[in-house]
């Protein structure tokens, strides 16, 4: 197929690495973008230097690209996410990009958390861009829960939000779905992608502590305000879309294998 190149943004991140590997396996020409000037020596991937936040380098990187899988995001500096997405969409339009596949998060429209608001605005920006688009929302990645619990476990008591459920999903499975969507036609918002089981946060913490060999007391704490209320209402989960297969227990077994 002429002009069948796929660009992956955020290709050095947790999800982006998984997506990049799967795009490579399709045999399609694949590109990735990094802020670094020293480009990776990566067989089968054409790397370009570019900066979403400033928009520099995007026109060259996107020239001849048909589809973009947008995984770039930075929860630590999420104020850059919207300007970066806007620059990407504008450059994509100039380059003739036909399809942008975006990853988002289950609950962004129902949990008034600042980062989630930015993700929701990104969805709205994409939908109004005039470019063919597909938007997939996923639940929490085990590694992010692992990181949070590792930080919380440094204290003698592990504080977790009470009445809150999570539904961990394997990023590799989400990557499979993103690539499947990228190979198809623009589909708008598609069904959410959630992990195989819903777990109370207290159970996730106890499972993690057991697997890590740590002895701590898990203390449920009621999170106040609208965010806490949304968590307790199950807004982090999508039980009707439990299509993932790899379980939290399997993640922990591999993570703490001895």
């Amino acid at each position: 197929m002429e002009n069948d190149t796929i660009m992956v943004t955020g290709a050095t991140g947790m999800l982006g690495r998984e997506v990049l590997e799967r795009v490579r396996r399709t045999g399609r020409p694949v590109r990735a973008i990094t802020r670094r000037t020293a480009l990776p020596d990566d067989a089968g991937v054409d790397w370009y230097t570019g900066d979403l936040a400033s928009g520099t380098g995007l026109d060259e990187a996107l020239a001849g690209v048909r589809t973009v899988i947008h995984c770039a995001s930075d929860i630590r500096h999420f104020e850059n996410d919207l300007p970066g997405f806007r620059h990407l969409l504008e450059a994509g339009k100039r380059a003739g990009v036909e399809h942008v596949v975006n990853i988002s998060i289950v609950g962004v429209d129902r949990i008034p958390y600042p980062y989630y608001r930015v993700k929701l605005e990104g969805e709205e920006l994409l939908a109004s861009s005039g470019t063919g688009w597909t938007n997939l929302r996923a639940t929490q990645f085990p590694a992010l829960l692992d990181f949070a619990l590792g930080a919380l476990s440094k204290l003698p008591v592990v504080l977790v939000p009470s009445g809150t459920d999570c539904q961990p999903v394997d990023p590799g499975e989400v990557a499979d779905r993103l690539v499947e969507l990228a190979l198809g036609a623009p589909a708008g918002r598609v069904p959410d992608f959630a992990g195989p089981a819903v777990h109370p946060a207290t159970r996730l913490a106890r499972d993690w502590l057991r697997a890590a060999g740590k002895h701590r007391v898990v203390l449920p704490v009621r999170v106040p305000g609208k965010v806490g209320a949304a968590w307790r209402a199950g807004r982090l989960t999508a039980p009707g879309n439990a299509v993932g297969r790899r379980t939290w227990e399997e993640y922990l077994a591999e993570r703490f294998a001895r």
Side-chain angles (χ1 to χ4, degrees):
M1 184 187 297
E2 184 182 356
N3 183 29
D4 59 355
T5 300
I6 297 175
M7 161 71 78
V8 180
T9 71
T12 60
M14 181 193 309
L15 177 62
R17 290 194 301 268
E18 301 278 1
V19 170
L20 192 65
E21 179 57 34
R22 284 155 176 78
V23 175
R24 193 197 323 250
R25 293 177 200 162
T26 68
R28 300 282 183 96
V30 55
R31 294 185 192 177
I33 191 167
T34 177
R35 289 192 298 269
R36 299 172 185 170
T37 53
L39 298 178
D41 182 13
D42 195 355
V45 179
D46 289 328
W47 284 86
Y48 286 76
T49 298
D51 185 0
L52 293 176
S54 67
T56 57
L58 297 186
D59 287 326
E60 180 182 2
L62 289 167
V65 168
R66 175 188 291 272
T67 303
V68 174
I69 304 177
H70 183 49
C71 300
S73 184
D74 186 351
I75 194 170
R76 294 168 302 177
H77 305 287
F78 59 81
E79 67 276 4
N80 294 326
D81 278 13
L82 270 179
F85 202 3
R86 187 174 291 109
H87 291 144
L88 177 69
L89 291 170
E90 290 170 351
K93 187 165 289 189
R94 291 192 296 270
V97 168
E98 298 176 13
H99 188 189
V100 176
V101 179
N102 181 57
I103 182 64
S104 189
I105 308 168
V106 166
V108 291
D109 55 340
R110 298 176 294 178
I111 301 173
Y113 181 60
Y115 178 62
Y116 278 28
R117 287 195 184 108
V118 167
K119 296 297 287 184
L120 181 59
E121 288 183 48
E123 291 185 359
E124 294 165 349
L125 184 68
L126 176 61
S128 62
S129 66
T131 300
W133 62 279
T134 301
N135 190 76
L136 176 69
R137 293 177 182 173
T139 51
Q140 310 79 36
F141 294 154
L144 298 179
L145 297 171
D146 181 3
F147 175 82
L149 290 167
L152 291 168
S153 71
K154 295 184 185 304
L155 299 173
V157 176
V158 178
L159 305 177
V160 297
S162 63
T164 298
D165 290 336
C166 297
Q167 197 172 355
V169 67
D170 180 66
E173 294 176 355
V174 175
D176 286 334
R177 178 63 174 144
L178 287 171
V179 173
E180 178 185 35
L181 292 168
L183 297 177
R189 184 183 167 192
V190 296
D192 297 343
F193 198 101
V198 175
H199 303 276
T202 50
R203 180 185 163 188
L204 291 175
R206 292 188 180 105
D207 287 348
W208 187 93
L209 289 166
R210 189 181 308 111
K214 294 179 179 288
H215 300 283
R216 302 283 190 278
V217 173
V218 175
L219 180 63
V221 176
R222 185 178 177 86
V223 177
K226 293 181 178 179
V227 170
W231 287 356
R232 289 187 294 276
R235 305 309 190 193
L236 288 168
T237 65
N241 299 88
V243 293
R245 298 178 304 279
R246 190 168 187 242
T247 67
W248 170 244
E249 293 82 4
E250 288 170 334
Y251 170 82
L252 290 177
E254 182 177 320
R255 164 73 172 82
F256 294 105
R258 288 176 168 80

